[in-house]
Every structure is written in structure tokens, then in C-alpha cells.
Amino acid sequence: MNDLSPSREERIANLKGLGCSRKRVEDVRFTQGKGNYVDDIKLPGMLQGDFVRSPYAHARVISVNKEAALALPGVIAVLTAEDLAPLNLHWMPTLAGDKQMVLADGKVLFQGQEVAFVVAEDRYIAADAVELVEVEYEELPVLTDPFAALESDVVLREDLEGQSAGAHGPRRHHNHIFLWEEGDKAATEQVLDSADVVAEEMIYYHRTHPCPLETCGAVASMDKVNGKLTLWGTFQAPHVVRTVASLLSGIEEHNIRVVSPDIGGGFGNKVGVYPGYVCSIVASIVTGRPVKWVEDRMENLMATAFARDYWMKGRIAATKEGKITGLWCHVTADHGAFDACADPTKFPAGFFHICTGSYDIPVAYVGVDGVYTNKAPGGVAYRCSFRVTEAAYFIERMVEVLAIELGMDAAELRRINFIRADQFPYHSALGWEYDSGDYHTAWDKALAAVDYAGLRREQAGRVEAFKRGETRKLLGIGLTHFTEIVGAGPVKNCDILGMGMFDSCEIRIHPTGSAIARLGTISQGQGHATTFAQILASEIGLPADSITIEEGDTDTAPYGLGTYGSRSTPVAGAAAAMVGRKIRAKAQMIAAWLLEVHEGDLDWDVDRFVVKGAPERFKTMKDIAYAAYNQAIPGLEPGLEAVSYYDPPNMTYPFGAYICVMEIDVDTGEHEIRQFYALDDCGTRINPMVIEGQVHGGLTEALAIAMGQEIAYDDIGNCKTATLMDFFIPTAWETPNYTTDFTETPSPHHPIGAKGVGESPNVGGVPAFSNAVHDAFRAFGLRHAHMPHDHWRIWKIANQLGLHG
Amino acid sequence: MIPAAFEYHRPVDVTSAASLLRRLGDEARVLAGGHSLIPMMKLRMAAIEHLIDLQDIDALKGISIDGDTVTIGAMVTQAELIAHEGLAKVAPILREAALQIADPQVRYMGTLGGNVANGDPGNDMPGLMQALGAAFLLTGPDGAREVAARDFYEAAYMTAREEDEILTAVRFTAPPGGYAYEKQKRKIGDYATAAAAVLIGKEGGRVAHASVAMTNLSDTPVWSPAAAKALTGTDCGPEAIRAATEAALADIDPTEDNRGPVAFKRHVAGIIITRAIQRAWSRA
């Protein structure tokens, strides 16, 4: 007879499953400096690579003289495009259907572009040799403005001359990449023409950079004896890198092992394939020795993938009561020198067409023109799903501008336009099916939490005091209600280089009731080893502490599309739940045999199968695991393991309500965040502590972007922000306190109802901070001013409004 | 961010350091906290064949207060300036200024000597030393000499220090009265958008003496006797402060950079100077 203690509640608590603020298992090594990053990998005989980079944004490469560099003792090789051409590796395909130079092939197109790759015995010799490579350039006219680029006679991409169409349709000019459209243009324009009120604005979301603390790098090791290439690197999608490496190199895929070790932040920067990876591989093949390449901070900021750089022209129509009737948007998208955006193949502007946001807008149109300029390539999703941050910023600014046009309160304008809870699943005018939401509940909770009416009264008092000369500080109340689209995605319309965007989980239960599970994703700080174990714990009834999670080694992990775009929980997390259910199905058969009952006579209860109506008769998952390995069960294979590949039926649509209260010094342009309230609804909450950490991190990156972080160029294409002196990364000092809150509206199609959260705070945070700045000056006539809102740009707003007397 | 090869020297006294400097000539540079020099070497903007690290020279350390004369060794770190209670009593403006330099990690390494000797207009201590009327003690092949801080800075990174001289200490008279070091910066670790050091003495409700200096608003630190004159003898009311601020602004020549254009910097400088004067007066 079985002992019925511990109680059911205790058994649930012991699992540390869904809803438990379980401490992060990764932090033991990270807080002790025991992580294992790419630059920690040291192999016998390993060589070091370093790049010669272009000082010019646009120039012809007349000659590259390697002689002096090769003469330096310890220099093994200097690779140029000429050396890579016979292998057809001087160019490589990008994720966006374009191609990119691995090493400068006749010309350079942005400052910092890779020109030659030096391979040497140590890092210092490599850097010395870079200085000795003599490159002769002939400068060419530089285009840094996308609007000017579309008018210019200067041809940036001579390699594309004569090609009137690219991967995404016709090109109308030699610096044009694509025009991508969604929605009903004619119907939208008709609504705009006859609307009571139309608000129009150009909204620029400036160029910035994910700037992970760990820069990008790789170690390639070609074993010429067994023909196997091992590639360690900062890869957010290791399996895709393996497939690409195989296609590019001709090495069969089973002979390539790609490993993502610990990664120190990715935020989209580590999705793409960079010349450094290719050159490391080639150098290892050529030399027969392992080759390491790790970029420095300046290289990271200047040459690896940027984010945003969208000029968004918007027109929004409404009735005079404030009901939105239509939304029109045209984006001029600066993609830099090569179209290396990281988006699902069929979406050259990502999911930008989520830009109707949280609002029930009957008709809408979006057109996006991609443009080449002399800037670094990229266009990655910096802590957001593909172009969703741009979309959220666009609609949340347009709603504010409309509120000004209507003379309405911006909170009320949002409320009367929200999609109602009873409208879900909701089909948006731009083609999405929103899975679930309850925006009004979240909004009311947020407004009540900050005493919104009280804040508005205080603000009105402040404006009066300012006008009387009693204060030089204004108060801004920044509102945002965002809706994200994450969890790419359904294989029917989402792929990267042809690979469907499913994900996977494989689990092996050990005889003594512990387990190892492997997934196709890779944590870069998200805490997968903690949270995926919790999903599994709740599904299979073994404690999370007894489940090891492994990711990132393509020789052991099942194929998956990696971690970015908040897709890990929606897709791989779903695979984990499904694989757990497969385990449970077999476990039920084993339990039935052990208990000598029919399977249908068993109920699942937390961590065990119990005979219906006989609670003292049960088998725990631990008992069952042991039996799976030591009993001959008729009709069943021994062992207890399973694999699941999950193709999501839809995206998930997390949402949130953020309110930022900001003090602004009109004389110095300085700001102070007095209060920041963040309500997130990410569906079922797996680990509230990890969610809170994700929200804090994402809000801090949003603060950076809104209030100062940018990649800026001068007129001749020099990057002006290539160090952390000028590129703003907030420290504890600049970071305000955040109050986090939640509602919980599960996704109806996800096995456990989870939606993903890591990127919500960046998507919602940027408009919240920016709207606070705008709101502070609304009473003085400000409609819109471009980010980032650093001191001088805020000062400029005040100055142009005549507030400096 | 990988420096070229260099020889590393670590003398234990000033004489050895000075003779190394003399022998190695312009191929050598002395290293204090390294926050300016090492990044320049890593960027390969400075090619240094010989680096003479001063950290083992005890004679360059220590803070001595003799009556109202304060002498601070060149290798005293910002952290040590902040922690020194005696210094906080006689010249609290040093703690106030040092706390606005970078972050704690930088302040554990960064030194007063390095900060003043490098001639970087962005550094905070040179401006403060203008206000204090400090003297810099230099040792070279011909022995020791003193140069007034107000005569030391010629242009950005150009100073009165000869290439074979070492700045060994900073000396000043403890300033009586009120003080303020006011700085606007974009973030922790940034140089000033504008900063001002103000010292004010008060007698009978009036300004008895004043000293006003500014940081990162020209290619050298700026001392503004005209601003001090505008304050002296007044009640430090709004009119006097406005006049002093205008006088100070007449002495600066800011340039545009990522912090903003000249018009913005001039405006912010005026605000910062005004605030520094108000705060110093409130403490006088």
C-alpha cells in the first residue's frame, strides 16, 4: 500500500513547475565567472584571425599588398577576395535573399567593411599584421541618406547592375531593393480622403544596434583526418548555421558540428552570418589548424548587424468622436550596403504589418521601400520580433498625434479604439489573426495603478506653474498599449533560407527518474535551462531540479531554428510540452501494466498515475521510469524517451500597458524617470521571476534606445558612435525603478497557453519613454520630434517651442 | 583594440623614472591610471615604445595637509581623494568633483596626476585646479619646478610640461568659503557637456572673493577672472549672477560633438555656471 503523504500541494511545489519563481540554474556559473564563451575556447595550435577593414564608406579597392604583413614572423596567411573567389566564397548569401561580400571584391560599401583577413600565431601578431597590409583606395561619392540614394546617379551595388528584380520583386532604381506592400491601398486612401479627421506625420525610428556585451566570434576547427569541421560561435540559430555552412562549403552536413556555447546576449545581433565566420572556416581548412576570430567592440558596432533605420510616413483617419477608420503607412527602409535583414524569407519588412497595433482599424495599407546606402548591413530584430518594435512605435506615436489633432485625451482615444475581448480571434486589416487578448482590462488596471487622473491634474498644475515662472521642469506622462506578434512561426508561411520555422524538443528519462532534454533553441541569457525544465516538470511530473536542459550543439540537439523574435517559448516551449505528453502517454501504459488495470482506469495527478476511485493505488513517474528500464512489458519497447517537432498553428500575440512618468528640465534637456509601470500579458506565466527580469532588461534597452542610443554617421559615412563613450548603454545609475504587473490571457493554440515575453518590454518601452517626452511638451504645441531624446534633442524641442525665453 | 608591442618599465623612485624618461626620450611615456593612454594605445593612435609605470613610486602617493596648504601626490587616485576625511574638511570641492568622474571602478585606477597632466579638455580636475589656483610640481633633468595650473594648459593635449618631466604633485591653498562643482553629462563615464567649478568667500553678506572655472568648453580648461570680478562685492543676487554667467560665457569656445551643437552647449554652460554659483553662494 502506498503512503499518501506528501500532500498534493507539496508534490506540486516539489516539481518547481509552471508558475514557480524558480531561481535560475544558469546563474551559479555566470555569477562566479565560470561561463564558457567563445573566447574562452582555446585549442592546441589555435591561430588567431583579424580583419583589415575599410576606413572609407564608399571606395574602389585598387590594390591590396600583403607582402609586408606576410613577412612578419608569426603571420600564416592573409586572405583577400581573390583567394576566396576560386572557392566561390568571396560573396555569401544573406538571410534576406541578397548577397554580401565576405571580403571586399573590387570596392567597399561601408566604413568598417572587411577587406582582408589576417591569420597569425597570436592575437597581437595578427593585429600588427593588419597594420602592415597596404590597401590602395579610390574614394567614391558617399550616400548615407536613403531618400537621396533613391534619386542619385551613384550606383552602390554594381554587382546588381541590369537586374531589374531582386528576391522580393521589381527594383525601380539601382539603389532600390524592393517595394513590399500589404493591405488595401485604394480602400485606405478612399477612407482618408473622406475622413472627418486625418493626422499625418513622418516618424523616424533611428538606426541603433543590439550591442550585446559579448561581441560576435567563432572558432573553426577542420580535422583533416576525419574530414569533420567543428564550428563554435555566437550563433542564435546554430542549426541554420550548420546548413548554411554546408551549402557554402560543400562539406556534407553530417561532417559539420556547430556549437553555440554560453552566449553573452544576442538581441538579434547573432542571428546573421558574418564574414568572420566564413573566413575562420576557410582559414582553418587552408591551414589545417583551429582558427579563432573574435571582434572587438568597435567592430561589433560598426560592422555587424544594426537595427531599425525606418522612416515611417503615416496617415491615420478618424471620426470626430475619435473612432479610427483607417491607417496608411509608407516606410523608407535604410538597409545599408547589403540587404542582410534577418526576417522570415517571405517577409522583407518582417512583421511590420502588425502596425495596426491594439486597435480595431477597419482598413489599412503598408508599403515598404528597401534602399541601399553606404552604411553597415543588418536590419535585425533587436530584442523584438521582426520589425515589430518599429510597428509598435509607429502606431503608438500616430495615436498620440491623432489625439492632438482631435484635442482628446490619449488614454481615452486608445480605449475607444481597442479591439474588444469578444472580438478574438481577431482578423486585422493587414492579415493577421490575433489569438487572444483583453486590452480594456489591462488598460483600466494600468490607469488605476498610476492614478492616471491624478497625474493629469498634477501635470496641468505643473504647466500653469511653468507659465508663471515657478518651475523649469515639465511633467510627461507616456502611454503605450502594444500588441506584439511573436513565435515565428507556422511552416506554411515562415522559413529562414527555406528551413521551416518549427522547433523541437527531445527528452530521455533516466531509470532513476531524472532526465535530459535537448531543444533546437539556444539561450543567450533568457534562462532556458530554468524555464524549459519547469514546462517539462509540470508535464511529466519529475522535479525541474532533476531535468537537465541542453541546447546549442547540433550533434546532439534536435534541429531547430534557434532563439530570436520571442520564439523559444511559443515554439520550442510548445515542443517541450508536447514531448512531455508523449512521455506521459507511454508512462500511462507502463503504469497500467504495473497496476494491472486498464489505461483508461488511470488518472494523471501531478506526478503520478492513480487508479480511478482508489487513491491509494498509484505509480509515480519515478516508479514508472524505473519500470521502463527493468521490466519486460508486453507490447512496449524498453526505455522512456521521445522527440517532438512543433509547427505552431499561429503566432502568439502578447500585449501590455506601459506608463512612464518623466520629469524634463527644459533648460538642460535632462530627464528623470519618476515612475515606470509595466503591465505585461504574456499568457500563461512559466516563471514570474524570470519574466520580471526579462521585463527589467527589455525596459532598460528601451530606455537606451529612446533616450540616447544610436548609430550615427557623418556626411561621408564615418560612423560617429563606434565606442561605448558615444553609444549609450545604461548602467545602474541611469536605470530607473520599474513596477511590473500582469494580466494573464492564455494563448488558445499554445499547448500551455504561453506567449513569450522577452521582447515585450522593448517593443512597449520605446514608445512609452518617447511618448512621455512628447507629452511633456504637448501643452506647448509639440506634435512630433525624432528619437533619440538625448539632452540636446530635448533641449532643441524646448528651444524651438520658445521655452528658453 | 590590440596595442602594438612596447617595453614596460616600473621604477620605484622618481629619480629612476626621470632618468628613464631622459634616456628614452620621446619614445617613452609615463603611465598613471591609464584611462586615457591605454585606450589610445589600443586604438593605435598613440605608438609608445616604452611605458614607464609610476605605480610603485611611493613618493608620488599620499595627501598632506599642512595648515591651509594641501599637497596631493600625482598617483593619488580619485577614490583616495573621495575617501580622505581631512581633505573633505579643508577642500570639500575635490570630493564633490571626483564623485562626478566616471564610475567607482575607474576612480579606483584614475589618478589626480594623470587627470591634470594629460591635457585632455574633457578631464574635470584641470578646470577645478584653475578655480583653486593650484600649482603643479614637475621634476625633470634640471631638477624640480612649479608651474601654476593657470599657466599649464596651452591647447588640447599640449601643456607646459616638458617631455622629460614628470608631474609629481599638485599643491594649493585650501579655499575658504562656499564651493560647487556642477557637471552635466550624458551618462556615467562621459565627459562633461558642460561643467563649472566655483569658489566663493562671503563677508558681511557680500562676495569677498570668488573664482570661476569651466571644463570641456574650450580646448583647454577655462578660468574666468571676469566672472569672479562680476560677483565680487555684490550680494550674489540674480543680477550679479547673470553678469557673472555672461562674463564666463564670453571666455568659452565650445565645439560641436556628439553631445550637441555649439548653441546648445553655450546655453547649457550658462545654466551650469549659474547653478554652480548659486550652490557655492548657498554654502558660503
Side-chain angles (χ1 to χ4, degrees):
Chain A
M1 198 58 39
N2 280 307
D3 182 1
L4 287 175
S5 64
S7 71
R8 190 167 193 277
E9 287 66 34
E10 284 172 297
R11 288 187 284 123
I12 290 171
N14 286 343
L15 293 181
K16 298 188 186 172
L18 292 183
C20 171
S21 284
R22 180 185 185 221
K23 284 191 177 165
R24 285 172 28 119
V25 296
E26 298 91 338
D27 289 345
V28 176
R29 67 178 188 279
F30 291 149
T31 55
Q32 295 183 30
K34 304 284 190 199
N36 183 41
Y37 299 92
V38 167
D39 210 12
D40 292 319
I41 294 167
K42 292 179 176 67
L43 301 177
M46 188 172 73
L47 301 171
Q48 301 274 350
D50 195 1
F51 278 111
V52 176
R53 293 180 181 273
S54 170
Y56 300 110
H58 195 198
R60 215 163 287 293
V61 177
I62 307 297
S63 65
V64 181
N65 185 343
K66 315 173 180 179
E67 267 177 48
L70 286 170
L72 186 71
V75 174
I76 307 296
V78 179
L79 303 177
T80 62
E82 264 179 44
D83 303 306
L84 300 183
L87 305 166
N88 202 27
L89 286 175
H90 55 321
W91 289 74
M92 62 180 183
T94 69
L95 297 180
D98 194 3
K99 55 183 179 150
Q100 175 176 352
M101 289 182 215
V102 173
L103 291 171
D105 183 21
K107 72 188 290 196
V108 288
L109 288 159
F110 66 95
Q111 188 187 48
Q113 186 179 333
E114 300 81 0
V115 174
F117 189 67
V118 171
V119 184
E121 291 285 352
D122 73 37
R123 188 68 189 82
Y124 287 87
I125 296 171
D128 288 345
V130 164
E131 299 272 290
L132 296 173
V133 176
E134 295 162 16
V135 186
E136 191 187 341
Y137 297 96
E138 178 191 313
E139 287 184 69
L140 295 168
V142 173
L143 299 173
T144 58
D145 174 62
F147 298 98
L150 282 178
E151 305 286 319
S152 173
D153 292 337
V154 176
V155 179
L156 300 182
R157 292 290 298 277
E158 288 161 358
D159 59 293
L160 299 178
E161 264 192 303
Q163 291 186 24
S164 58
H168 305 293
R171 302 168 63 222
R172 68 168 186 270
H173 180 271
H174 49 251
N175 297 327
H176 183 243
I177 310 173
F178 60 80
L179 168 62
W180 179 81
E181 294 175 289
E182 192 62 71
D184 190 333
K185 190 177 186 186
T188 304
E189 287 177 351
Q190 200 175 357
V191 165
L192 286 162
D193 287 344
S194 57
D196 291 352
V197 177
V198 176
E200 186 170 326
E201 197 57 63
M202 172 65 96
I203 292 166
Y204 180 46
Y205 198 141
H206 59 290
R207 179 175 281 233
T208 182
H209 193 285
C211 193
L213 285 189
E214 180 205 27
T215 60
C216 298
V219 176
S221 180
M222 183 73 205
D223 184 330
K224 289 200 169 176
V225 175
N226 64 19
K228 186 146 183 162
L229 170 70
T230 307
L231 180 65
W232 292 265
T234 47
F235 309 131
Q236 289 183 238
H239 286 93
V240 178
V241 170
R242 185 184 70 191
T243 302
V244 172
S246 174
L247 293 172
L248 287 181
S249 67
I251 301 170
E252 283 197 82
E253 207 164 346
H254 72 282
N255 275 330
I256 301 177
R257 176 183 169 215
V258 174
V259 183
S260 293
D262 282 331
I263 296 181
F267 314 114
N269 185 235
K270 293 167 180 170
V271 172
V273 173
Y274 295 122
Y277 304 159
V278 177
C279 288
S280 307
I281 294 171
V282 172
S284 182
I285 293 171
V286 169
T287 62
R289 292 168 67 176
V291 175
K292 177 188 280 185
W293 165 76
V294 177
E295 65 184 0
D296 67 26
R297 178 63 57 200
M298 293 179 74
E299 292 177 296
N300 180 254
L301 286 170
M302 288 174 75
T304 51
F306 77 93
R308 328 296 193 223
D309 217 345
Y310 258 33
W311 290 92
M312 304 177 286
K313 176 95 174 166
R315 296 161 73 198
I316 188 165
T319 65
K320 46 185 188 301
E321 293 77 28
K323 188 80 188 84
I324 300 171
T325 52
L327 179 71
W328 179 98
C329 179
H330 177 266
V331 180
T332 302
D334 186 339
H335 285 219
F338 307 99
D339 187 8
C341 290
D343 294 311
T345 305
K346 296 183 187 71
F347 298 93
F351 303 154
F352 182 77
H353 48 312
I354 192 71
C355 65
T356 52
S358 308
Y359 311 104
D360 182 16
I361 301 179
V363 62
Y365 163 77
V366 167
V368 180
D369 274 308
V371 185
Y372 290 122
T373 61
N374 289 120
K375 300 183 192 169
V380 294
Y382 170 7
R383 203 167 184 147
C384 71
S385 191
F386 315 97
R387 301 290 188 185
V388 171
T389 306
E390 289 92 324
Y393 185 65
F394 170 73
I395 185 65
E396 288 303 297
R397 283 297 310 134
M398 286 308 294
V399 166
E400 293 279 320
V401 172
L402 179 62
I404 291 169
E405 198 78 35
L406 289 161
M408 271 182 81
D409 176 79
E412 183 57 21
L413 178 60
R414 284 178 172 86
R415 186 203 308 278
I416 63 175
N417 284 290
F418 281 145
I419 301 163
R420 297 186 317 274
D422 61 22
Q423 288 177 281
F424 290 93
Y426 173 81
H427 292 267
S428 81
L430 292 173
W432 298 114
E433 182 186 308
Y434 290 31
D435 59 347
S436 65
D438 182 353
Y439 302 163
H440 286 95
T441 299
W443 195 237
D444 290 343
K445 189 174 182 184
L447 296 181
V450 301
D451 181 19
Y452 179 69
L455 282 173
R456 284 291 177 208
R457 278 194 300 276
E458 183 188 348
Q459 184 186 44
R462 183 74 69 86
V463 167
E464 291 312 311
F466 182 89
K467 287 177 175 168
R468 288 194 302 267
E470 293 164 12
T471 180
R472 297 297 291 164
K473 283 194 176 170
L474 295 175
L475 187 68
I477 303 162
L479 304 175
T480 288
H481 190 288
F482 64 92
T483 296
E484 274 196 285
I485 172 169
V486 307
V491 172
K492 63 177 187 283
N493 58 3
C494 290
D495 71 273
I496 297 237
L497 293 175
M499 301 297 118
M501 295 182 75
F502 59 82
D503 226 290
S504 58
C505 180
E506 177 195 274
I507 188 165
R508 297 178 189 174
I509 314 287
H510 305 316
T512 52
S514 65
I516 181 165
R518 297 186 171 103
L519 298 99
T521 43
I522 175 68
S523 180
Q524 305 124 42
Q526 290 87 344
H528 292 173
T530 305
T531 52
F532 286 153
Q534 291 181 251
I535 294 174
L536 285 163
S538 286
E539 291 291 338
I540 64 174
L542 293 174
D545 288 345
S546 300
I547 303 170
T548 295
I549 300 291
E550 268 190 18
E551 303 172 300
D553 185 337
T554 59
D555 266 10
T556 56
Y559 204 102
L561 270 280
T563 293
Y564 42 85
S566 279
R567 65 184 302 280
S568 298
T569 292
V571 192
M578 298 310 271
V579 87
R581 289 168 196 183
K582 285 186 183 177
I583 290 289
R584 222 161 71 190
K586 183 170 179 183
Q588 188 164 1
M589 291 189 254
I590 297 170
W593 189 80
L594 292 172
L595 291 162
E596 300 179 337
V597 296
H598 189 270
E599 277 173 53
D601 294 331
L602 293 173
D603 279 334
W604 173 253
D605 181 42
V606 183
D607 58 352
R608 61 193 56 186
F609 281 103
V610 183
V611 177
K612 283 187 166 124
E616 76 288 355
R617 291 193 65 208
F618 61 83
K619 287 291 171 188
T620 66
M621 229 16 226
K622 221 172 147 130
D623 302 332
I624 294 164
Y626 200 64
Y629 289 91
N630 78 348
Q631 305 244 354
I633 303 174
L636 279 182
E637 288 179 5
L640 192 54
E641 51 183 85
V643 61
S644 179
Y645 280 75
Y646 188 80
D647 177 10
N650 190 4
M651 314 280 186
T652 63
Y653 296 74
F655 61 94
Y658 290 178
I659 299 175
C660 173
V661 183
M662 189 185 288
E663 299 269 356
I664 287 177
D665 183 327
V666 299
D667 290 321
T668 63
E670 293 170 301
H671 71 271
E672 186 193 340
I673 315 291
R674 194 173 86 183
Q675 183 180 7
F676 198 106
Y677 170 88
L679 179 151
D680 275 284
D681 192 321
C682 57
T684 303
R685 289 154 56 85
I686 298 163
N687 182 322
M689 182 199 70
V690 167
I691 291 171
E692 191 176 3
Q694 292 262 33
V695 172
H696 281 213
L699 286 176
T700 304
E701 283 185 325
L703 168 82
I705 294 166
M707 306 309 293
Q709 184 179 87
E710 64 175 323
I711 294 290
Y713 294 86
D714 68 11
D715 291 344
I716 54 166
N718 292 310
C719 179
K720 300 195 293 179
T721 51
T723 76
L724 297 188
M725 174 65 85
D726 288 309
F727 187 86
F728 176 39
I729 299 273
T731 67
W733 185 266
E734 292 86 8
T735 304
N737 282 317
Y738 303 117
T739 305
T740 59
D741 203 348
F742 67 99
T743 55
E744 196 160 348
T745 313
S747 167
H749 63 77
H750 187 279
I752 62 166
K755 288 187 169 185
V757 74
E759 297 165 336
S760 296
N762 203 328
V763 170
V766 172
F769 288 112
S770 179
N771 282 343
V773 173
H774 285 94
D775 184 68
F777 292 103
R778 179 175 167 175
F780 299 90
L782 178 66
R783 261 173 79 95
H784 180 77
H786 296 318
M787 291 192 293
H789 306 297
D790 57 6
H791 295 170
W792 93 260
R793 288 181 177 96
I794 289 181
W795 176 88
K796 192 167 88 174
I797 294 170
N799 196 259
Q800 289 177 345
L801 293 173
L803 302 184
H804 292 146
Chain B
M1 296 294 277
I2 303 286
F6 56 87
E7 287 289 324
Y8 179 76
H9 307 269
R10 193 153 164 167
V12 296
D13 53 56
V14 175
T15 316
S16 320
S19 68
L20 272 170
L21 202 50
R22 185 167 61 239
R23 179 161 62 82
L24 300 169
D26 58 9
E27 292 184 344
R29 286 284 296 274
V30 297
L31 176 73
H35 285 295
S36 301
L37 187 55
I38 289 177
M40 297 289 271
M41 292 169 68
K42 287 167 80 172
L43 291 167
R44 295 188 177 227
M45 292 168 81
I48 312 288
E49 302 273 325
H50 297 272
L51 204 55
I52 304 171
D53 190 338
L54 302 179
Q55 68 174 301
D56 276 354
I57 304 178
D58 286 341
L60 298 180
K61 295 174 185 169
I63 297 169
S64 78
I65 301 168
D66 181 9
D68 61 357
T69 301
V70 179
T71 309
I72 303 174
M75 290 298 284
V76 169
T77 64
Q78 315 293 357
E80 288 164 346
L81 288 180
I82 291 164
H84 199 279
E85 291 303 333
L87 188 64
K89 273 205 192 78
V90 302
I93 194 170
L94 268 92
R95 177 182 281 182
E96 180 159 301
L99 278 168
Q100 297 180 67
I101 295 173
D103 55 61
Q105 283 177 308
V106 169
R107 297 195 293 255
Y108 282 123
M109 291 297 291
T111 64
L112 176 61
N115 198 288
V116 300
N118 195 40
D120 183 339
N123 285 351
D124 290 286
M125 288 298 174
L128 175 54
M129 294 302 141
Q130 308 301 301
L132 287 167
F136 297 157
L137 280 58
L138 304 169
T139 295
D142 306 324
R145 66 175 179 129
E146 270 191 37
V147 178
R150 291 169 188 166
D151 298 331
F152 188 72
Y153 299 98
E154 293 160 358
Y157 304 101
M158 306 283 286
T159 68
R161 186 185 65 84
E162 299 295 336
E163 280 190 353
D164 54 4
E165 286 182 314
I166 297 169
L167 191 149
T168 58
V170 169
R171 180 173 294 153
F172 59 87
T173 303
Y179 66 92
Y181 193 78
E182 186 84 20
K183 179 179 180 179
Q184 179 171 344
K185 55 188 173 183
R186 294 174 297 179
K187 58 176 183 176
I188 289 295
D190 195 16
Y191 293 121
T193 302
V198 174
L199 298 165
I200 297 182
K202 183 179 186 178
E203 273 170 31
R206 304 228 152 231
V207 176
H209 56 86
S211 185
V212 177
M214 290 157 284
T215 294
N216 216 18
L217 291 165
S218 281
D219 69 341
T220 61
V222 174
W223 179 56
S224 178
K229 192 168 169 234
L231 291 173
T232 306
T234 72
D235 61 354
C236 216
E239 275 309 313
I241 293 177
R242 194 172 304 127
T245 300
E246 270 170 31
L249 290 178
D251 288 336
I252 63 171
D253 184 19
T255 52
E256 175 167 348
D257 59 20
N258 284 346
R259 292 171 192 84
V262 171
F264 162 71
K265 286 190 169 184
R266 293 194 72 86
H267 189 267
V268 164
I271 301 291
I272 294 300
I273 293 160
T274 298
R275 288 180 185 175
I277 294 170
Q278 286 167 339
R279 194 142 53 91
W281 177 245
S282 74
R283 288 163 164 171

